[in-house]
Amino acid sequence: TPSPRLRRIMQSLVTHLHAFVTDVELTEDEWAKAIEILTATGHITDDKRQEFILWSDTLGVSMLVDALAHPAPDGATESTILGPFYVPGSPLRPLGSSMAEQEAGTPAHIFGQVRGLDGKPIAGAELDVWQNGDNRLYAVQDPDAPEFHLRGRFRTDDDGRFSFWAVRPVPYAIPDDGPVGKMLNATARHPWRAAHVHLVVKAPGYRSLTTHIFDAESDYLDSDTVFAVKESLCLSFTEHGADDPGRPEHVTGPWVSLD
Ligand code: DHB
Ligand code: FE
């Protein structure tokens, strides 16, 4: 059945597409090339590699759709991109435990409190967390990593507090061996994302929040290739020596924490 909403979307898309073609005076060769690029995108896209999401992300569309869908009310933590490496079904881990199932970089203590807009702590909120290791790979991309390495779900305690061990994140290049990589290269852009840890926070009766913690000292904060950095999400890690108190037994060298 015809959809009035789809008609409105298609009419606007055609209007803007024609304006764009007119604006840049697109040539026949350039349009043929564009169709070639779209065809190549379809050919390398499968379950493991969603090249069209890379287009959406690197052209800033994902962040714009997110901004329209999730305006952050005053006092709320801001949202950012989900990215292609989220995998549902991470194990529920005890508070205070580590998501690193093998050596993956400098241990990082991450902790905080989940609160509602009224400032009241939310007990039993769930944090679903994932990140890459110092080899830059997420476990889903790394055949040598255990399935649940650097992934985990944590539930807040009665005071809404959470605490877990991750590793200090490192910058990461989005897959750049396909059509999107060629576009980045040909337009003098780089494929790097600023160092970050992903989290989705959920609690019954509340809207869920998809966001990142960015390392405030990372490279690429002002040129993240998918435009996902927001200043309020950039947090500073404090560096600790191997012997600083407050580290658990599994930490044997230098570490960092979010305080
Ligand atoms: C991430 C990776 C991507 O390739 C992308 O397009 C968006 C986000 C990420 O690792 O967070
Ligand atoms: Fe990421």
Side-chain angles (χ1 to χ4, degrees):
T1 52
S3 153
R5 171 70 181 156
L6 183 59
R7 267 186 80 78
R8 155 128 204 263
I9 290 171
M10 292 310 296
Q11 277 167 352
S12 178
L13 180 64
V14 167
T15 302
H16 286 87
L17 199 54
H18 289 197
F20 154 71
V21 169
T22 307
D23 180 40
V24 300
E25 300 182 60
L26 204 67
T27 66
E28 285 178 305
D29 282 353
E30 286 163 348
W31 186 235
K33 183 76 194 163
I35 287 170
E36 222 176 82
I37 290 166
L38 286 172
T39 304
T41 301
H43 283 153
I44 67 160
T45 287
D46 59 25
D47 284 350
K48 286 243 151 83
R49 174 73 174 267
Q50 237 303 357
E51 189 79 4
F52 280 108
I53 292 183
L54 298 189
W55 280 118
S56 169
D57 291 352
T58 55
L59 298 182
V61 178
S62 299
M63 283 304 289
L64 180 55
V65 171
D66 178 59
L68 293 171
H70 306 290
D74 266 356
T77 301
E78 292 191 280
S79 60
T80 193
I81 209 159
L82 178 70
F85 300 120
Y86 173 68
V87 183
S90 285
L92 192 60
R93 298 183 187 273
L95 290 178
S97 68
S98 176
M99 308 198 294
E101 297 188 355
Q102 61 187 25
E103 178 58 43
T106 307
H109 189 213
I110 295 184
F111 56 89
Q113 189 181 36
V114 178
R115 292 188 291 265
L117 281 177
D118 56 8
K120 294 217 180 83
I122 302 174
E126 181 188 284
L127 283 77
D128 196 336
V129 189
W130 69 106
Q131 69 163 130
N132 55 347
D134 60 358
N135 64 356
R136 302 196 182 126
L137 299 175
Y138 287 82
V140 276
Q141 299 171 284
D142 184 356
D144 297 325
E147 185 182 4
F148 297 133
H149 178 55
L150 296 177
R151 299 170 47 188
R153 290 180 300 127
F154 300 91
R155 230 172 245 145
T156 57
D157 66 14
D158 290 347
D159 295 323
R161 294 191 185 277
F162 61 87
S163 134
F164 60 90
W165 286 83
V167 293
R168 188 170 197 163
V170 297
Y172 153 86
I174 71 166
D176 67 347
D177 57 344
V180 170
K182 282 190 193 153
M183 176 278 291
L184 292 174
N185 204 14
T187 56
R189 289 176 57 184
H190 67 69
W192 291 91
R193 295 220 53 211
H196 59 274
V197 174
H198 292 263
L199 52 168
V200 174
V201 185
K202 291 186 175 151
Y206 293 87
R207 221 174 64 185
S208 67
L209 168 71
T210 299
T211 192
H212 294 7
I213 293 169
F214 287 96
D215 183 338
E217 264 154 50
S218 175
D219 287 336
Y220 310 114
L221 285 173
D222 52 16
S223 65
D224 184 81
T225 198
V226 299
F227 311 101
V229 179
K230 293 178 177 175
E231 205 180 314
S232 69
L233 303 177
C234 298
L235 305 183
S236 296
F237 285 105
T238 302
E239 300 189 11
H240 300 272
D243 299 327
D244 275 21
R247 63 174 176 82
E249 238 156 65
H250 67 83
V251 175
T252 51
W255 51 289
V256 297
S257 69
L258 268 188
D259 40 15

